[in-house]
Amino acid sequence: MNNIPLISPVPPPRARGGACLECRRKKKRCDGGQPCLHCRNAIAGPLDCEYAALGELAESQVLEQDIARLEEQIYILEHPEQKKSDTVFLHAPYISNQPNQSRLDPATFHKDEQCELLETFLEQFQSFGLFLNPNTIRHSLHSQIPSLGAAVLLWATRLTPALNSPDITNGFLYQALRQLQVDIGNSHPQRCIQAIQVDILLALWYLNAGAFLQARYRANHAVSLCISERLHLNAIPMDHRSATLTAPLNQAEAKQRVDAFWTTLVVANLFTLDGSLIPFNYPSEDPAVTTVWPTSGNLVAAPPRNTITDFLHGLHGWSDTNSLVFIARASIVYERTMTNINLSSMSDRPDMATIPSTNANALENRLVAMKLRVEEQSSVTQEMILTRMILDVGMLSLHRSTNPNNHDLLLVEIGQVAQAVDSLRNLPIVPIVLPLVTFTADTILQVLQSSQPAFIHRKQLRTAIDSLMGWLQQQSLLSPAATRDLEHLQHMAARPN
């Protein structure tokens, strides 16, 4: 007989101090495998199994320190007015060897406490951006707090003033970012969709924290995941030759993928307000997006069509009043408007410094048509309010670029933005609205200081700016970004005319 052992040899336990980093952190007995048994059979999925001698850093820790150094340099470049110090701490979760940057291990929270925080999140997080259903989110708290559970608890601590401390926040942020890498490497379709949801939640969290660059990075990361998983080619029925995810098991999963793509597109499009190039990196021609529009009913099979192109050319229907359809289409019109404005303002040629009148008219007609369609809806949900605000700010941006001295036109859009903001006062936190409100308030102050509006216009502008700054004051209780923007606007308002 062949000398084949009946039992596979098991690596002997490593000597003290020779365990992998994960086993060392959780004080588990490590078998020294590559990966070890504990990391291979983790409930949340296979973990990164790394070894490092005592006193040395693992490869992932070295990368984290590199990220910290790069973010420090970015922070210094973005804030030249602040005095440079030897060290700038941006986010403690990236820095693992700083004694004064502490974080609380999320595992110290009892399961009942986690469930209570989750319910707080589901009750109070009413901002746009959540496309997973509550049951999926509740299930995410199992399996040692994977990335979705950590992102939800991160937001819950922001919404709970008693727990809104750096130690707790840093712990959940570190857990979310670390586990997200595991979820991205998981081939299970639902893990991929959940990873996109985590990126959207983190983008909104960073936006609320005033870290705009990190927010835009997370939004772009969600876009990359959507494209890599071919969610932009999600026609019904799906062409499995171009798909990377397995076919959805039911209508609920199929609709979840559609909602994930359009939610990501909305969040990414709204980041064009800062004047940067568009996150989706649209070419001169419309992108090939065949994903069907969201629907309140069941998804219906239809021949694949270029969804965005058809909408922009008027070849679309409005038979479904799903609010995500409206906000997605408004964000597309908004993105095209802001892109034209931004590209014109960045041009070195004097004849290209402003938008050509033909383009401006076409953009305005598109915004007006979309606004008329929205006004036909009697719904006053947060999504529809946000849709109206997106279109109003898009129109305000266009008029500010092409007719800066036409105060009548500016006042119409400013008044409508202020009215929409008043409708959101009962919501505890709405991070995605912050850039829109700040841009509008900044426009008001520029009009008041750079020109001489009539007395009646000045009075209306003062009323609008008081309303917007009052809303920012309310949001500042839970939003560092609102606090920063409010201080900036107050500083602008204090300048002599």
Side-chain angles (χ1 to χ4, degrees):
M1 295 180 64
N2 296 334
N3 295 325
I4 300 177
L6 298 178
I7 301 176
S8 300
V10 177
R14 288 199 161 214
R16 183 176 179 82
C20 73
L21 296 179
E22 188 68 21
C23 290
R24 197 183 302 172
R25 185 177 71 85
K26 295 189 176 181
K27 297 180 173 60
K28 299 279 188 180
R29 189 174 182 85
C30 186
D31 62 11
Q34 290 284 355
C36 70
L37 184 64
H38 169 70
C39 292
R40 189 168 61 249
N41 297 333
I43 299 177
L47 302 176
D48 293 332
C49 189
E50 294 184 286
Y51 293 89
L54 289 175
E56 295 182 359
L57 296 177
E59 182 180 356
S60 61
Q61 293 173 319
V62 173
L63 291 174
E64 288 173 358
Q65 289 191 346
D66 289 341
I67 292 173
R69 282 193 293 271
L70 291 172
E71 293 208 348
E72 176 183 340
Q73 295 174 12
I74 292 171
Y75 184 88
I76 293 173
L77 291 173
E78 287 190 334
H79 301 79
E81 72 283 358
Q82 296 188 10
K83 182 180 178 180
K84 295 182 181 180
S85 60
D86 293 336
T87 304
V88 177
F89 294 111
L90 289 180
H91 299 291
Y94 290 128
I95 305 174
S96 58
N97 59 345
Q98 295 294 339
N100 61 337
Q101 295 292 304
S102 58
R103 63 172 180 266
L104 186 66
D105 188 346
T108 60
F109 280 83
H110 191 269
K111 186 64 70 175
D112 292 340
E113 294 177 305
Q114 295 175 17
C115 292
E116 186 176 346
L117 283 172
L118 183 144
E119 295 303 324
T120 298
F121 168 83
L122 292 176
E123 179 182 349
Q124 296 190 31
F125 186 85
Q126 302 175 34
S127 173
F128 173 83
L130 201 62
F131 57 81
L132 293 178
N133 62 61
N135 288 334
T136 301
I137 295 174
R138 289 188 178 96
H139 184 69
S140 69
L141 283 186
H142 303 306
S143 308
Q144 301 178 347
I145 319 180
S147 59
L148 179 58
V152 166
L153 296 180
L154 172 67
W155 260 111
T157 58
R158 173 69 74 189
L159 296 167
T160 308
L163 296 176
N164 192 12
S165 70
D167 289 356
I168 298 175
T169 298
N170 291 340
F172 285 122
L173 180 58
Y174 174 82
Q175 185 80 4
L177 292 169
R178 190 174 187 277
Q179 290 293 332
L180 181 59
Q181 303 307 313
V182 178
D183 289 346
I184 292 173
N186 194 307
S187 60
H188 193 283
Q190 287 305 102
R191 281 293 182 91
C192 298
I193 301 301
Q194 290 182 19
I196 295 172
Q197 179 68 89
V198 172
D199 268 324
I200 295 299
L201 288 175
L202 290 177
L204 296 178
W205 188 87
Y206 278 123
L207 185 62
N208 184 70
F212 192 87
L213 185 65
Q214 289 85 349
R216 189 168 58 190
Y217 172 79
R218 296 317 323 177
N220 286 342
H221 195 264
V223 171
S224 298
L225 286 177
C226 284
I227 294 175
S228 65
E229 301 299 343
R230 307 291 181 89
L231 294 184
H232 63 302
L233 303 175
N234 198 2
I236 303 298
M238 184 187 301
D239 184 358
H240 296 292
R241 293 171 298 178
S242 63
T244 58
L245 297 178
T246 57
L249 297 178
N250 47 46
Q251 274 278 335
E253 279 195 13
K255 292 177 65 175
Q256 195 174 80
R257 297 182 189 185
V258 171
D259 291 352
F261 169 76
W262 290 112
T263 301
T264 302
L265 179 135
V266 171
V267 173
N269 280 346
L270 292 184
F271 275 92
T272 58
L273 188 60
D274 72 322
S276 64
L277 291 178
I278 40 183
F280 256 76
N281 194 23
Y282 287 125
S284 57
E285 296 297 326
D286 297 321
V289 173
T290 61
T291 301
V292 297
W293 295 108
T295 177
S296 302
N298 290 332
L299 298 172
V300 180
R305 303 177 64 176
N306 197 324
T307 313
I308 293 180
T309 303
D310 285 356
F311 161 64
L312 291 174
H313 293 167
L315 304 175
H316 58 85
W318 291 90
S319 57
D320 198 307
T321 57
N322 183 290
S323 59
L324 184 53
V325 173
F326 280 90
I327 194 171
R329 291 178 177 178
S331 77
I332 293 169
V333 174
Y334 171 86
E335 174 270 319
R336 292 304 165 97
T337 303
M338 297 305 300
T339 299
N340 275 271
I341 295 172
N342 294 336
L343 292 178
S344 298
S345 64
M346 288 187 294
S347 177
D348 295 330
R349 292 172 52 186
D351 60 324
M352 295 293 290
T354 57
I355 304 176
S357 57
T358 52
N359 289 1
N361 291 336
L363 293 169
E364 184 171 2
N365 290 338
R366 190 177 283 164
L367 284 164
V368 169
M370 186 71 196
K371 290 181 69 173
L372 289 175
R373 179 65 65 175
V374 172
E375 292 303 323
E376 294 175 0
Q377 306 301 311
S378 58
S379 174
V380 290
T381 62
Q382 183 206 150
E383 287 80 6
M384 294 306 295
I385 294 173
L386 179 57
T387 300
R388 294 184 178 94
M389 187 180 297
I390 291 171
L391 295 171
D392 291 334
V393 172
M395 188 72 80
L396 177 62
S397 303
L398 185 62
H399 290 325
R400 177 174 166 175
S401 174
T402 57
N403 300 291
N405 296 319
N406 192 329
H407 298 145
D408 289 324
L409 289 177
L410 296 177
L411 269 171
V412 171
E413 308 307 329
I414 288 172
Q416 291 180 350
V417 173
Q419 183 180 359
V421 167
D422 287 336
S423 303
L424 299 174
R425 286 189 182 275
N426 61 329
L427 299 180
I429 192 166
V430 194
I432 203 166
V433 174
L434 286 172
L436 303 176
V437 173
T438 304
F439 174 83
T440 305
D442 180 79
T443 300
I444 295 173
L445 293 176
Q446 287 197 22
V447 171
L448 287 171
Q449 295 177 354
S450 63
S451 60
Q452 295 297 326
F455 174 78
I456 185 63
H457 290 162
R458 182 175 291 274
K459 183 178 179 180
Q460 292 173 325
L461 289 170
R462 288 291 182 190
T463 301
I465 192 66
D466 289 343
S467 176
L468 297 180
M469 293 179 73
W471 183 83
L472 286 172
Q473 180 70 49
Q474 173 191 334
Q475 290 288 301
S476 65
L477 298 174
L478 295 174
S479 172
T483 303
R484 180 202 62 189
D485 292 344
L486 184 61
E487 292 174 352
H488 167 71
L489 293 170
Q490 289 172 340
H491 178 72
M492 282 188 62
R495 296 176 185 172
N497 293 339

